[in-house]
Amino acid sequence: MKRTPGKSARTALTDNATGWLMMLPALAGLTVFVVAPFVLALGMSLTHLRMGSPLGAQFVGFEQYLRLLQDASFQRALINNALFALGVVPVQTLLALGLALALNRPLRGVAVFRTLFFMPVVFPMSLVAVVWILIYAPGPNGLLNGVLGALTLHHWQPRDFLHDPHLALPAIMLTSIWQGAGFQMVILLAGLQEIPRERYEAAAVDGAGPWQRFLHITLPGLRNPLIFVVIVTSILSFRVFDQVRIMTQGGPLDATTTVVYQAVQSAFDRAQAGRGAAMAVVFFVIVLAITLIQRRLLRTEREVR
Amino acid sequence: MRREPPVSLSRRAMLGSLAALPLAAMLGGCRSGTSKLSARKPTLEVWAHAGQVGERRTLVRLADSFNAGRRRFAVHLTLLPEGAYNGQLQAAALAGQLPDVFEFDGPYTADYAWMGQLQPLDELLPATLREDLLPSILSQGTYNKRLYAVGQYDSGLGLFARRDRLTAIGASLPTSPGDAWTVEHFEDLLARLAAATGNRPPLDLKLNYRGEWFTYGFAPALWSAGGGLVSRDTRPPHAGGVLDGSKSTAAMRHIQRWTAAGRVDPNLDDAAFTTGRVALSWVGHWEYPRYRQAVGRDLALLPLPDFGEGARTGEGSWTWGISAGCRHPEAAAEFLRYLLQTSNVLAMSGANGAPPATRSAVARSPLYAQDGPLRLYIEQLAEGYALPRPRTPAYPAITSAFQQAFHAVRDGAKVPETLHRAATLIDRDIADNKGYPNREAVRG
């Protein structure tokens, strides 16, 4: 059959319509569960809305945002989120890469190790947090204190990790890294197995050592999985909430408070929907900015290449 | 059956239906079985929190026996997990989907009443029943001079003690709230108890608990010092000058001294008292069954220490209300009256160990009658030692700010600054809501 230009345009049109039709369920879901609540949050953040209040919502302009900027606890939450991301993203990514490399060998029992390292990902964060509270228990009989005491021949002074302003945030970071690294490991492992063996063989023939092979074959081959892992870890580390709620409630002295923890506290513990919404909007802007910056940085690099 | 003005109704309906979507999905799995409802009988929807096992079972049994009686209405009981219970009620309230009868935590009475979610019970419950209720139950359920909520039980707060440890250091035990230890004497005893056990912490403050405990458990220390969370006599209340006043500050300084000096067991395993690590446990009535089993006849119940102006204690617990949207308030009130029958109050008190809410049940309770082991709680409730937490719709903001302040003080923050910050947060919430005016005033 011969195709006339008109006909193909019509086909394109029906194709288009079919495309939209098939996207409809996902779009409807996104609109109802993401776009609409966000637009509502934007609106609410310009008011003093209290949940269920007969006073209704009074427009107060940017008052909520001004207060957030002046609020020492909220500033601390922003800093904590940044510290958390700066600590967790590199460490967790490197750890996951190391695990993936170690487990990408044809060793006996490797499947068992893969399962073991992936297991924390399957546990709910709430369960992990409760277990780690016991690990961090204060006093010489606490699990971690006991282990450190034994390792240092009892030179270690027992600490109350979750109530020490300097140790609480690192403690939560360690828990998060332990829980999350397995997920990145699996993604990087899949990436490693995509790299053709021939490249390694060719490099070996050319006389490249293990380090050179890692630098010039493995890393470039893992480029896309690594970008994915870094972006997702950054976003997740800004979303950190469960560990904080369960392990420290933001304490001691705001040392572990985070933006999402404060937003939930405002909106659901104190019924201050307006304030909570303003925090959610700030959170959205930060995550959006990070994603855009990261994509921009990583993309230009690719073009230079 | 009050209605909002149309503008705000549509707005709220929209917000509400969004909030209700995940809620509806969650509720699907949680219906508890009070089955065997005859299909034609109209039913009242009833929501309650899933408390301890005994409490839960007793409530299901009471609902079943209510349904077994030949009545015009049946009740359909839904139990929701305690942790998220208040949040789910709030979501249902926004969606206009509250059940006919629901249980809620006592200090939230003012909040629900102010939001217009509750019907007054004054005309629905007979005067004889209202007079039989303990004064603390009436004051907890009253907002704006109307009764909105009634509970089957109240609560008790005090110190559980291991008698032998205290007599070993030569301490004399107070027998009534009137002769409570002064806080200085209490601190001296703590030091002596610690010295007797190689400097181990002798006191349990239930630091392992979460949320509302800290307001319930430690606001009495502020009251006893002559301070408090917010002003009691002004409308609207204010926290400035009260929560950050010198008396509240002094009380919080005492508590900080105990934690800083290592007198308080962190109690991560919730077994500090039962395993004998500590001699004193600052906690509510609910620990009596477990403690009694662990310690036996050596268990003593003492009033909290006196911080200057006499011992004070908390009161209030879970309570029942009828929603504004309930179309059969008489039938709902019949269910509440059933719950408050002496035998049913005693059944619940027997299951959870709480002080019964009616005088007639107290008189027949083995734990709370004259010479009962927990009689102290009744003396505290009846003789003015117990105070309700602030009865204002600002309560969610007040309790959240105080809990945060308590944790900061425990972790060593400067007391005056911490309390001042909490007071500022509370006063700002009250100002943002225009002092929480009455609904009548709002609707003009």
Side-chain angles (χ1 to χ4, degrees):
Chain A
M1 221 172 31
K2 257 190 186 174
R3 275 196 179 181
T4 63
K7 213 174 188 179
S8 95
R10 207 173 301 151
T11 333
L13 207 70
T14 35
D15 272 0
N16 229 337
T18 319
W20 281 105
L21 200 69
M22 294 178 104
M23 268 158 63
L24 201 64
L27 277 182
L30 276 177
T31 312
V32 171
F33 291 109
V34 178
V35 180
F38 185 71
V39 171
L40 277 175
L42 262 181
M44 276 193 265
S45 73
L46 304 176
T47 69
H48 280 332
L49 181 68
R50 182 195 189 277
M51 284 213 267
S53 164
L55 294 167
Q58 309 131 63
F59 183 78
V60 295
F62 291 99
E63 170 82 18
Q64 298 283 16
Y65 294 96
L66 289 177
R67 282 186 191 173
L68 287 186
L69 286 180
Q70 293 162 2
D71 181 21
S73 286
F74 190 72
Q75 289 164 7
R76 190 63 208 262
L78 288 172
I79 294 171
N80 285 341
N81 270 128
L83 288 175
F84 189 90
L86 286 175
V88 168
V89 175
V91 175
Q92 197 172 24
T93 310
L94 284 178
L95 185 67
L97 183 61
L99 286 175
L101 288 171
L103 295 182
N104 191 32
R105 291 150 190 246
L107 292 177
R108 224 199 289 167
V110 81
V112 176
F113 283 103
R114 283 181 193 166
T115 314
L116 280 178
F117 286 121
F118 189 70
M119 225 145 70
V121 181
V122 184
F123 300 146
M125 195 50 170
S126 43
L127 174 71
V128 170
V130 171
V131 171
W132 278 80
I133 289 178
L134 298 178
I135 292 179
Y136 290 134
N141 297 326
L143 205 56
L144 185 58
N145 275 322
V147 168
L148 289 172
L151 287 179
T152 58
L153 304 171
H154 302 285
H155 288 300
W156 172 261
Q157 289 293 319
R159 305 284 189 91
D160 189 350
F161 296 97
L162 295 176
H163 285 96
D164 182 320
H166 301 296
L167 293 178
L169 187 62
I172 286 194
M173 285 158 71
L174 182 63
T175 305
S176 314
I177 291 170
W178 179 82
Q179 198 260 354
F183 177 66
Q184 277 96 330
M185 176 197 78
V186 166
I187 290 170
L188 295 179
L189 205 52
L192 281 177
Q193 291 174 353
E194 286 291 298
I195 303 176
R197 298 186 60 86
E198 295 79 29
R199 286 191 201 165
Y200 289 104
E201 285 160 10
V205 169
D206 286 347
W211 176 245
Q212 281 172 312
R213 272 176 277 164
F214 171 73
L215 216 58
H216 297 293
I217 298 175
T218 311
L219 272 190
L222 278 182
R223 190 186 158 76
N224 283 336
L226 275 174
I227 292 175
F228 174 79
V229 162
V230 167
I231 292 182
V232 167
T233 319
S234 311
I235 292 175
L236 287 181
S237 63
F238 268 83
R239 216 186 60 182
V240 54
F241 168 73
D242 315 36
Q243 306 91 303
V244 173
R245 179 89 172 185
I246 295 168
M247 295 170 74
T248 60
Q249 294 93 52
L253 313 180
D254 285 338
T256 59
T257 191
T258 65
V259 173
V260 176
Y261 178 69
Q262 294 226 341
V264 169
Q265 229 190 357
S266 290
F268 296 99
D269 293 352
R270 302 191 199 120
Q272 295 165 342
R275 185 178 164 85
M279 290 182 180
V281 171
V282 171
F283 170 69
F284 171 80
V285 170
I286 292 174
V287 170
L288 186 69
I290 290 174
T291 316
L292 289 179
I293 292 171
Q294 277 184 341
R295 286 190 61 112
R296 171 66 57 87
L297 286 178
L298 296 166
R299 193 170 291 167
T300 39
E301 224 173 79
R302 186 185 291 175
E303 280 161 10
V304 169
R305 197 168 273 274
Chain B
M1 279 142 288
R2 300 186 186 144
R3 279 277 170 235
E4 290 300 300
V7 182
S8 106
L9 181 72
S10 65
R11 210 196 131 75
R12 276 224 242 154
M14 186 165 63
L15 278 172
S17 50
L18 279 175
L21 276 170
L23 183 74
M26 271 187 282
L27 291 186
C30 310
R31 300 257 163 193
S32 86
T34 52
S35 51
K36 288 183 238 156
L37 299 180
S38 77
R40 257 172 262 151
K41 225 183 207 178
T43 48
L44 293 169
E45 285 297 325
V46 178
W47 285 6
H49 85 289
Q52 319 151 12
V53 184
E55 204 170 287
R56 205 159 59 216
R57 282 201 194 125
T58 308
L59 191 57
V60 170
R61 199 167 52 70
L62 288 181
D64 282 340
S65 66
F66 180 83
N67 289 337
R70 257 172 283 158
R71 296 168 209 273
R72 284 200 306 118
F73 285 84
V75 297
H76 179 251
L77 177 67
T78 302
L79 294 173
L80 300 168
E82 181 168 355
Y85 186 76
N86 194 48
Q88 299 202 348
L89 278 188
Q90 299 275 1
L94 286 174
Q97 300 284 322
L98 278 176
D100 299 287
V101 178
F102 60 100
E103 197 187 21
F104 52 94
D105 203 4
Y108 286 87
T109 306
D111 191 20
Y112 286 113
W114 179 71
M115 291 193 291
Q117 303 291 356
L118 293 172
Q119 296 193 26
L121 304 177
D122 305 84
E123 271 99 64
L124 291 170
L125 298 177
T128 46
L129 174 58
R130 279 180 281 140
E131 282 155 20
D132 194 29
L133 289 167
L134 295 184
S136 57
I137 293 289
L138 286 173
S139 76
Q140 161 178 268
T142 304
Y143 175 66
N144 214 9
K145 301 195 179 93
R146 286 198 182 132
L147 183 66
Y148 284 100
V150 287
Q152 277 186 296
Y153 48 91
D154 207 304
S155 64
L157 179 65
L159 288 168
F160 280 113
R162 285 176 175 265
R163 207 185 292 271
D164 56 341
R165 302 273 183 90
L166 288 162
T167 43
I169 58 159
S172 64
L173 304 189
T175 52
S176 77
D179 57 35
W181 292 323
T182 65
V183 69
E184 291 79 14
H185 186 52
F186 178 67
E187 283 173 358
D188 177 49
L189 292 177
L190 289 181
R192 279 152 62 191
L193 282 168
T197 57
N199 233 9
R200 277 216 312 255
L203 175 65
D204 167 31
L205 294 179
K206 290 289 175 189
L207 294 179
N208 56 316
Y209 282 2
R210 290 287 148 80
E212 185 61 23
W213 159 248
F214 295 97
T215 313
Y216 174 80
F218 300 100
L222 310 194
W223 297 329
S224 171
L229 300 170
V230 292
S231 60
R232 273 189 190 275
D233 315 318
T234 63
R235 264 197 89 105
H238 58 86
V242 183
L243 179 56
D244 55 0
S246 57
K247 291 172 169 172
S248 303
T249 308
M252 289 301 280
R253 278 207 167 111
H254 280 291
I255 293 172
Q256 187 170 55
R257 213 171 294 156
W258 310 336
T259 49
R263 299 281 181 254
V264 184
D265 189 295
N267 199 19
L268 291 180
D269 55 358
D270 204 23
F273 191 77
T274 47
T275 56
R277 285 206 306 273
V278 300
L280 292 164
S281 181
W282 180 307
V283 72
H285 65 267
W286 51 88
E287 282 288 26
Y288 174 73
R290 201 163 71 104
Y291 283 8
R292 167 74 208 202
Q293 199 177 11
V295 181
R297 299 184 61 83
D298 210 38
L299 181 71
L301 173 62
L302 317 173
L304 296 181
D306 171 3
F307 284 74
E309 301 198 357
R312 289 287 178 273
T313 165
E315 64 175 41
S317 193
W318 290 88
T319 185
W320 294 94
I322 301 177
S323 73
C326 172
R327 280 181 292 159
H328 306 286
E330 303 78 20
E334 193 185 335
F335 180 60
L336 296 190
R337 286 205 303 277
Y338 181 76
L339 292 180
L340 291 173
Q341 283 175 9
T342 304
S343 56
N344 294 339
V345 171
L346 283 173
M348 183 55 88
S349 168
N352 66 6
T358 61
R359 295 172 205 268
S360 37
V362 167
R364 285 178 41 197
S365 158
L367 292 177
Y368 290 96
Q370 205 75 46
D371 301 325
L374 302 180
R375 182 66 185 179
L376 175 85
Y377 293 142
I378 299 297
E379 288 168 11
Q380 294 186 148
L381 290 172
E383 294 166 20
Y385 293 97
L387 289 179
R389 285 157 278 176
R391 286 171 290 161
T392 153
Y395 188 72
I398 295 172
T399 186
S400 164
F402 180 72
Q403 287 167 30
Q404 219 172 355
F406 184 92
H407 291 298
V409 166
R410 179 225 164 153
D411 291 326
K414 286 193 178 120
V415 176
E417 283 86 342
T418 306
L419 292 180
H420 181 64
R421 236 176 70 78
T424 313
L425 278 177
I426 294 167
D427 285 342
R428 188 189 273 168
D429 180 81
I430 293 170
D432 283 350
N433 290 286
K434 304 190 165 94
Y436 290 97
N438 293 339
R439 287 178 65 76
E440 289 72 16
V442 173
R443 291 187 300 162

